[in-house]
Amino acid sequence: MLIFIARRIGTMVLTMLVVSLLLFLLLEINVEGVAVKVLGAYSSDQQREIWLENNGYFDPLPVRYARWLGNAVVGDFGDSVRFKVPVSEILPERIWNTAILGFWALLIASLIGLFLGVLAGMREGSGTDRTVSVGSIVTTSVPEFASAPLLSALFVFYLPQAIGWGLPGTSSMSSGFDWTQLILPIMVLVLYDFGYIARMTRASMAEVMMTHYIRTAVLKGLPYGAVIRKHALRNALIAPFTVIMLQINWLLSGVIVVEVFFAYKGFGSLLLEASLNQDIFLIEACAMVAVFVAVGTQTLADIGYTYLNPRIRFS
Amino acid sequence: MENGSNTYDGPVLECRDLCISYFTRAGEIPAVIDFNMTLHQGESIGLVGESGCGKSTVAMAIMQYLGKNGAIVGGQVLYKGRDLSTLSPEELRQLRGNEISMVYQEPMASLNPSMTLGRQLMEVPLCHENISEKEAYERARQILADVKLPDPERVMAAYPHQISGGQQQRVVIAMALLSNPSLLLLDEPTTALDVTVEAGIVELIGEIAGRFNTSMVYISHNLGLILATCNRVNVMYSGVVVEHGSVSEVFDHMRHPYTKGLFGCIPLPGADKTARPLVPIRGQLPLPHQRPQGCYFGPRCDFFQAGTCDQEGLHMTEVPNEPGHSVRCRRWQQIDWDSYNPEGVGASEMEAGEVVLSIDNMKKYYEVTDNSIAAMVKGNRVRHVKANESISFDARACETVAIVGESGCGKSTFAKVLMGLETATEGKVVFNGKDISQEEVQNRSPEQIGSMQMVFQNPFDTLNPSHTVGSQLARVIRKFGVHTDKDKVEARVMELLDLVKLPREFARRRPRQLSGGQKQRVGIARAFAGNPSTVVADEPVSALDVSVQAAVTGLLMDIQKTYRTTLLFISHDLSLVRYLADRVVVMYLGNIVEQGTTDEVFTPPYHPYTEALLSAVPIADTSIEKKRIILEGNLPSVTNPPTGCPFNTRCPRKIGDVCETQAPPVYEPSPGHQIACHLSVETFQEMQPVIVQPDEPASPAAE
Amino acid sequence: MTDQAISSMRREPAILRLIKGAALIRESWVGMVGLGIIVFWAVVALLADVIAPFPPNATGAPMTLPGGPALDGSGTHWLGTDQLGRDILSRIIHGSRQVLLYAPLATLCAYAVGIPMGLAAGYRRGLTDDVLSFIANVILSFPVLVLYIIIIATIGASGINIIIAVTFASAPGIMRIVRGLVLDLRNREYVFAAETRGESAWRIMLVEILPNARGPLIVDGCLRLGYVIITIGTLGFLGLGLPPPDPDWGKMITEARAFIQFMPHMAIFPCIAISSLVLGFNLLADGLREVSLRD
């Protein structure tokens, strides 16, 4: 098991290395471009030359990559062009904000998704099943950038008009941290994500309910509740576990949209801002963080899957 | 017992006019019709029939577990006089696993993969009786010992995948016996197991019946197993019981044409492809929604009489003077079995020709990288799997050489080397005068490839579902360069369909419109498309129903005779091998343990493995007496084979250390008959036949 | 007669099969609803010039409420106008063209790249598989939208670039699915039979294996198409989509965002449009899956 974990972590590091190389090549292979992006379009050729010279951009590519990587590992990605401060000063706060948003969204989506999925999968083809299935198809069909305006219209426009109570329409937290401003963004993320988890759980549960060992358990004379709890759930929840871990990767996409829409000062809106402004060091830092989170959760998912599955664990 | 059933002395189980249907989008499909059965305490009754005859449905109806779309639409199931359909869910739950329990076809699938076996066993007493965990553990441990599992503590702590298939089935049986049920249902409990493992399970089931006084319903497609386990038998065909009676009545004096036909299809030791050929039943099993009027067997029956057999209202009639023996046939009293002499599908004796295929000391080792965690921990990730070890034999033109062995014996690897999908590690494979052991299929010429072709095992897998039958045959013809001209290719496709006795319009059909037997015929046609000199048939009929098996086997032999083809027949079915093979090669763990002509291999002296194998084969003939040899232990892993003789871990005749340390010498009692074993010549000479047929002293077994 | 029978055994079934497959959908009401929505939007896109009441970029009175009359009295703004006075209904109708052009095109490109990769990885296994799977893993380790943002930010926003980005980001996922299917199908006996008669690897992959993977791939294709529509919309929403002034549903939503607290209708209708189209594909996929599991 330890060796397996070591191997998985090794693969993870290798993936990160390749990703970093790709990023580096994509964004920094054109040296002139870097100078233009950093110094702005109105800088003179001479200024650019000097800047490149000072920052070691005339060294051979491998040397530059090694230096860049070395700095990246210790968290030094250089200065943000747009914010004029080191990237490492802006990033942590933004990541923390996003973590709060993502954590609650994932937690709530998982709970709802698992609950509905198990309920639907327990009795395949029943009314509950059809309702949950179609319902989750509908909610996953509404992209975040559509559900955000729709929910805003409801809670920020129509509801206050109708009953005089609503929710704040932005989440900029301009006057300090405010829980109510988190409700809408979380709602949008949950709405889009729970359906997928529910469908995967349902499929997994339905498959388990069809297996012969469930038949064995029923024909042993176990009470129905015990069949579900002891025999079905354990096997049915292995697959959704992986799905939920991998969902973090998808959640990050949704987070960008939601943060932009609600002007929430998180990691996603930072990444978009960096891209739109060609803030290359910030893009690099954000991308590396995003990939680290994604690869890390994948690795955890793999390890967890192996751990949960005795067939692999003891083979 | 809680229900005061101790005082009840009627039948344990009674099915009265039971009708079961499945409800699909196409409407109601009757699965079982008018089923009657009475089972008394301590009795065991067999349900036998081919796939789709409704035998498993009966078991599920007894369990009241027919799924969402199945339902009992008529009649009753009475357990100790109580109608099961009137019980509340709670009463039913109390009954299941406690008074009625079940053993299933696939042991691996029947056990929860993520729960220890101990837990799964302990659940049964814990939920039915008010006992402590400790008592439950003790009970479970005891029952594992009772089903003769070595080291019950280890099994208790293990997960299902950690023990072998045979052991899994023993655990399932133990689970069924835990609460000492009055009724045990066994649904094809040995079908998924190897024949030597099957023998052990069958013996165990026999012991249970005696020891626990349990009543049993044994479901099987194998008449031999019914004979070994049951007192009485119901023969089912397409949802109805066609004949019912004691085992001896039904096996020796069958009255229904279907029962008669079924026995004609299975190769009994007396059958012989030249003297007493198999008699296939013509046609196919009707689909449930295409059953004919009147007698369902009518269209396939030689005694069918229009106006009589196609009338509704057919019932079971009792045979006079044989109480309990009844038949569902209007004409059984008019049939004169003595003058009934159907045409068999045998083959005339043929002189074997020159050597076509000669395998000399062929070895195939695989290097396997083991990615399992355990292997990584131990650091031995690369292992050598000795799939084939020193294989040597010859095959002549027009000869049928059978390669016999259980799973993991290396038959499939051998076929792959022959076909050029793998190259041999060592040794020679001389085919038509050329060594092909190192020639991969891409390097072989079209003629070479076309002259050695294969018939595969699984009819549902052998044809590509996306292409029509005709286009698949046409591709082969073009590929082998038999014809390239479009018209000639088409003509050849038709010829091939004629050859395998399929209608020509099948060329346009897709595989899913064909039955299993028909697909297998197409598979044979495909193999013969390039006029092969050798055909390798890998278990070509093992997945087919008995009545279809005989016809396909017959067809294969027929074509072989016509084209003077060499047939390498890979099989685990010794009865069939005995019937059709000229020579037999017995393999165990990649080694040839015995080879010789069919008569030589099936009569003493035997290799101890051949002896055990012969003893394990269930034979559906009441007059046969068999010596019982039950092999202990599991089949060793090919990745970690025993040293010395590969069979030493399970050999009942093991003589000592020499078996573990030295590779066995070859003993040759007659020229060409080779046995790789350490036993002394005297022991060999004293060996008695395993199968004795008292009535027929002239049969090869008693010679 | 027989000649005809055989020569037709190649062509006819392909067409028949398609018709039969399409007809099967009728047995799933979910699928039928999905198909209905897709057909509706396809017709709207085709006939946009005919059915749109106003030119998409023509301006009238800004922020007219739904049902309000046009300034020049030439018609009604059934869904109102936006902040520049452009008719929202007409812009939605014309916007459907963008989506229904680029999304299928991009999805097809992704399959054209992903299928051969998956076939090669699953059938050849070994080193080919290791290399291809690693590449796929690297690309899939990017959160999808992050990948799109980086690609579009680097190569710029245009129709072609969106197709390139979608292909790049989706092909690895398709490869994985195809690989999984091939790993299962390659053990079938008919593949073994093809190998024993010395067929070339590509023929086995394309003729023997691929047609049998078609069912799951069609279902996946529908789902993926829905997802690509979301992606293109999201890019438009984030300002990385097609350049103005042509209408784009995602961009319409961004533009309306600032007015959500006063004029929600400007955002609501494009939201409904894009959601319904995605829903159509998702329902169709579900229906297809349901039907394909039946037999």
Side-chain angles (χ1 to χ4, degrees), chain B residues 595-608:
Chain B
Q595 62 172 307
T597 64
T598 308
D599 285 350
E600 284 166 350
V601 172
F602 281 81
T603 49
Y606 307 109
H607 186 279

Side-chain angles (χ1 to χ4, degrees), chain B residues 12 60 70 73 122 178 181 271 329 335 371 498 541 561 604 619 645:
Chain B
V12 176
M60 285 305 159
V73 291
M122 285 158 64
L178 255 175
C329 178
I335 298 171
N371 276 326
D498 293 346
V541 296
K561 189 175 68 182
I619 296 171
C645 172

Side-chain angles (χ1 to χ4, degrees), chain B residues 354-358 430-435 447-448 451-452 533-534:
Chain B
E354 72 290 3
V355 174
V356 173
L357 179 70
S358 169
V430 179
F431 177 59
N432 285 341
K434 269 190 79 179
D435 181 12
E447 295 78 43
Q448 246 176 341
S451 62
M452 170 137 54
S533 62
T534 298

Side-chain angles (χ1 to χ4, degrees), chain B residues 16 20 84 86 164 199 221 297 324 339 421 423 465 617 652 661 665 674 700:
Chain B
R16 284 189 196 153
I20 308 161
L84 289 181
T86 62
S164 73
H221 66 281
F297 187 60
S339 63
L421 298 183
T423 55
V617 179
T661 52
Q674 300 178 337

